[in-house]
């Protein structure tokens, strides 16, 4: 029998985002022989493919070999699972599959053609940075506080990389290294850095991707006290939107499906899609800033609670309730009644978010 090889070339960037833009381009199978006879693919799970990569890939070895013929879609799932478990492997930048009737080799491309010595040094830097953030997070008792700390830390110490976002190329800005070592990243870098630290903390977490109002995008989910929540660190960083100014936000911190899907759709080919239907640990709920219905008196009471901060953000459950609050406060003049709870104030400013149904009042 004639020996036959197949080459499947994939420019998949491991769910990497350049400018929050998914770059996935799989070139179909190319046969080197016209006389090929179709062979059976091995029955193997993405978890097994991932495990094989775990055992073989390192800062020096960029290939994974399997003594069986594996379907390219299963390899794609296995690679995605590997990246979800190993966000510190920042140098992986696509792969080529070489397969014959009895074996499969996955040859990974290296970001920026880094040498093994460069990768080793950079990996050590990444591990040290992640360990430092993990140690700081461990100072907090609850998982909620740890998640909140890491969310805020990443935003406070990372600049959104507009140059990388606009480059149309994969770069270090789309990795955990770019985020927590260089301090410059796009959404994939934010998400992978957060995932890496959650893995260190033993908190279940993952990265998902899809189409958003701002283009291709990546974000996280976490499991807290047995319930799943979404969070989008990039969009809570006002620097990620050139039209926004101000401090870090928590509008996308531990939100449910309904809130998330106001602004995006989720790619169906995710390894895992959680069902996020709880707001028990949502930031606004936890901080008594979620109003199920509008009331000028209750708004005033909440403003009094946050009088020392001279600012409060209040979230509403629906556009109807939110719109009632906006109109009543700033068109009908209820804001003056609410401010009577606070006492003296120098000036009043406010902003509204018609998507997340949040009113921010500075007084």
């Amino acid at each position: 029998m004639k020996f036959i090889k197949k080459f499947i070339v994939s420019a998949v960037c491991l769910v990497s985002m350049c400018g929050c833009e998914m770059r996935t381009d799989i070139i179909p199978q190319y046969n080197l022989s016209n006389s090929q006879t179709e062979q059976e693919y091995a029955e193997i799970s993405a978890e097994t493919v991932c495990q094989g990569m775990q055992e073989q890939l390192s800062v020096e070895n960029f290939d994974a070999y399997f003594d069986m013929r594996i379907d390219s879609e299963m390899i794609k799932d296995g690679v995605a699972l590997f990246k979800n478990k190993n966000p510190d492997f920042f140098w992986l930048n696509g792969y080529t599959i070489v397969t014959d009737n009895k074996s499969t080799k996955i040859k990974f491309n290296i970001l920026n053609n880094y040498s093994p010595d460069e990768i080793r040094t950079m990996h050590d830097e990444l591990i040290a940075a992640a360990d430092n953030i993990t140690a700081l997070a461990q100072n907090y008792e609850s998982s909620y506080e740890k998640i909140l700390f890491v969310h805020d830390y990443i935003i406070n110490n990372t600049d959104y990389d507009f140059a990388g976002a606009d480059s149309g190329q994969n770069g270090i800005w789309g990795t955990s290294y770019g985020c927590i070592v260089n301090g410059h990243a796009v959404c994939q870098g934010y998400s992978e850095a957060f995932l890496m630290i959650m893995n260190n903390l033993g908190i279940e977490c993952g990265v998902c991707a899809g189409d958003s109002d701002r283009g291709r995008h990546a974000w996280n989910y976490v499991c807290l006290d047995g319930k799943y929540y979404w969070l989008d660190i990039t969009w809570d960083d006002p620097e990620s939107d050139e039209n926004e100014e101000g401090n870090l936000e928590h509008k996308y911190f531990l939100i449910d499906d309904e809130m998330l899907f106001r602004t995006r759709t989720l790619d169906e080919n995710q390894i895992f899609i959680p069902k996020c239907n709880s707001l028990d640990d949502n930031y606004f709920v936890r901080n008594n800033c979620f109003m199920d219905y509008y009331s000028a008196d209750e708004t005033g009471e909440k403003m009094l609670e946050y009088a020392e901060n001279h600012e409060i953000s209040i979230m509403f459950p629906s556009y109807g309730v939110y719109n009632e609050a906006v109109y009543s406060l700033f068109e009908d003049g209820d804001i003056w009644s609410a401010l009577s709870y606070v006492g003296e104030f120098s000036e009043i400013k406010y902003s509204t978010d018609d998507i997340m149904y949040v009113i921010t009042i500075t007084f």
Side-chain angles (χ1 to χ4, degrees):
M1 179 181 293
K2 180 183 289 187
F3 182 75
I4 303 167
K5 274 193 176 182
K6 275 189 179 181
F7 294 86
I8 305 174
V9 182
S10 177
V12 177
C13 66
L14 310 178
V15 198
S16 182
M17 306 275 174
C18 49
C20 296
E21 176 66 27
M22 176 80 74
R23 295 185 61 200
T24 303
D25 178 26
I26 301 179
I27 301 174
Q29 295 180 1
Y30 172 67
N31 297 336
L32 294 184
S33 170
N34 292 328
S35 61
Q36 166 141 17
T37 301
E38 280 297 321
Q39 301 293 320
E40 292 289 332
Y41 289 108
E43 293 186 5
I44 187 173
S45 67
E47 183 67 45
T48 302
V49 175
C50 173
Q51 183 61 37
M53 295 177 188
Q54 292 267 135
E55 295 171 355
Q56 300 179 63
L57 298 179
S58 69
V59 297
E60 296 179 342
N61 181 44
F62 311 138
D63 299 341
Y65 177 83
F66 300 85
D67 57 356
M68 64 189 75
R69 189 163 179 256
I70 307 174
D71 177 73
S72 61
E73 286 300 310
M74 188 57 65
I75 291 175
K76 181 180 178 181
D77 290 346
V79 170
L81 185 58
F82 177 84
K83 280 294 291 181
N84 212 49
K85 293 185 175 184
N86 302 274
D88 56 309
F89 276 57
F90 63 87
W91 57 90
L92 301 184
N93 185 41
Y95 54 89
T96 301
I97 302 170
V98 181
T99 181
D100 56 35
N101 292 338
K102 296 182 180 180
S103 65
T104 301
K105 177 183 283 188
I106 309 171
K107 300 173 64 67
F108 284 90
N109 306 320
I110 306 305
L111 182 67
N112 295 339
N113 292 316
Y114 290 129
S115 69
D117 286 343
E118 289 175 315
I119 292 173
R120 186 180 299 104
T121 298
M122 294 172 71
H123 189 249
D124 288 345
E125 293 172 340
L126 175 59
I127 296 299
D131 286 349
N132 176 62
I133 301 170
T134 302
L136 293 173
Q138 294 283 22
N139 291 325
Y140 296 87
E141 292 186 5
S142 71
S143 293
Y144 173 87
E145 292 173 311
K146 292 173 183 176
I147 295 169
L148 178 61
F149 169 80
V150 176
H151 169 279
D152 291 0
Y153 182 96
I154 289 176
I155 292 175
N156 285 327
N157 292 276
T158 306
D159 293 325
Y160 188 80
D161 197 325
F162 287 100
D166 295 336
S167 69
Q169 299 178 1
N170 292 335
I172 200 66
W173 48 80
T175 69
S176 53
Y177 183 94
C179 183
I180 62 175
V181 178
N182 288 346
H184 298 276
V186 295
C187 60
Q188 187 71 20
Y190 282 74
S191 300
E192 291 193 1
F194 182 78
L195 170 63
M196 184 174 178
I197 299 165
M198 290 299 105
N199 287 350
N200 285 353
L201 291 169
I203 297 173
E204 183 182 348
C205 179
V207 177
C208 286
D211 293 312
S212 78
D213 292 348
R214 305 182 194 177
R216 294 294 297 173
H217 193 45
W219 60 92
N220 296 99
Y221 67 81
V222 291
C223 185
L224 180 59
D225 295 330
K227 299 174 182 178
Y228 287 99
Y229 300 87
W230 298 109
L231 72 163
D232 190 335
I233 301 177
T234 311
W235 282 17
D236 272 341
D237 185 350
E239 289 188 359
S240 68
D241 187 344
E242 291 180 311
N243 298 318
E244 294 289 335
E245 297 180 357
N247 300 320
L248 70 86
E249 299 177 329
H250 300 92
K251 296 176 183 177
Y252 295 91
F253 184 79
L254 305 186
I255 61 176
D256 64 9
D257 287 340
E258 189 279 325
M259 291 178 173
L260 184 82
F261 295 131
R262 294 175 195 169
T263 58
R264 67 202 74 190
T265 58
L266 186 64
D267 291 342
E268 294 182 357
N269 59 339
Q270 310 283 336
I271 293 298
F272 174 67
I273 300 177
K275 182 64 176 177
C276 303
N277 54 18
S278 174
L279 289 178
D280 289 352
D281 284 309
N282 172 265
Y283 180 85
F284 291 85
V285 173
R286 290 278 299 238
N287 288 275
N288 194 32
C289 291
F290 192 94
M291 291 180 63
D292 290 311
Y293 58 90
Y294 170 68
S295 163
D297 289 335
E298 186 171 341
T299 301
E301 291 172 357
K302 293 184 183 301
M303 292 176 67
L304 177 60
E305 185 177 345
Y306 283 83
E308 291 186 2
N309 298 334
H310 300 287
E311 182 175 276
I312 186 171
S313 293
I314 302 173
M315 177 177 280
F316 298 87
S318 68
Y319 182 78
V321 178
Y322 158 80
N323 192 50
E324 178 190 358
V326 172
Y327 186 87
S328 298
L329 285 167
F330 308 115
E331 296 293 333
D332 284 351
D334 281 4
I335 184 63
W336 306 115
S337 173
L339 283 167
S340 67
Y341 284 81
V342 177
E344 293 185 2
F345 59 92
S346 57
E347 62 178 352
I348 175 72
K349 296 189 296 184
Y350 72 92
S351 62
T352 58
D353 186 329
D354 293 345
I355 296 175
M356 297 308 291
Y357 314 150
V358 172
I359 298 174
T360 299
I361 305 172
T362 305
F363 51 93

